[in-house]
Amino acid sequence: MFPTSALVTLLSFARGQTPWGKPVFDALIEVVVYFGQTFVPAEVAGAVPEETTEDDVITAIESIIAGSEDEGHPIAGVSPFVVGIILKFALQILLKKISG
């Protein structure tokens, strides 16, 4: 199932509206699992820019959420670049929180 509520949680976290905690961690895991299984990692890895900003992440998540409201599959036609930004954001948060 498409992780709409997990993306909404991440969007709220990226905007600074939701503090780090179990709901954010669970949302990160759900998003990483969903997109990790949906896209070929090499395709996504090649599409992700070295530097991404919080604005990039917010825009990427908003575009995915908006696309999920359309007819058809929620990620049909979504650029690997957008997915890559979201995956990179999620993994960076996980690594930072786990190691810090």
Side-chain angles (χ1 to χ4, degrees):
M1 176 175 257
F2 188 72
T4 302
S5 70
L7 286 167
V8 169
T9 299
L10 288 185
L11 180 59
S12 179
F13 177 78
R15 289 178 171 159
Q17 298 166 336
T18 300
W20 172 255
K22 185 179 181 326
V24 175
F25 177 81
D26 291 346
L28 288 169
I29 296 298
E30 186 176 343
V31 167
V32 168
V33 168
Y34 180 84
F35 288 119
Q37 291 174 347
T38 305
F39 287 88
V40 178
E43 181 181 355
V44 170
V48 181
E50 287 294 320
E51 296 286 327
T52 56
T53 66
E54 286 185 10
D55 288 339
D56 294 333
V57 172
I58 289 168
T59 300
I61 294 173
E62 286 175 337
S63 71
I64 293 282
I65 291 171
S68 72
E69 297 167 359
D70 296 338
E71 293 283 327
H73 195 277
I75 57 172
V78 172
S79 165
F81 178 80
V82 171
V83 173
I85 288 172
I86 295 169
L87 281 174
K88 182 177 180 180
F89 173 69
L91 292 172
Q92 284 175 337
I93 292 168
L94 283 174
L95 291 173
K96 185 186 301 181
K97 296 297 181 178
I98 289 171
S99 66

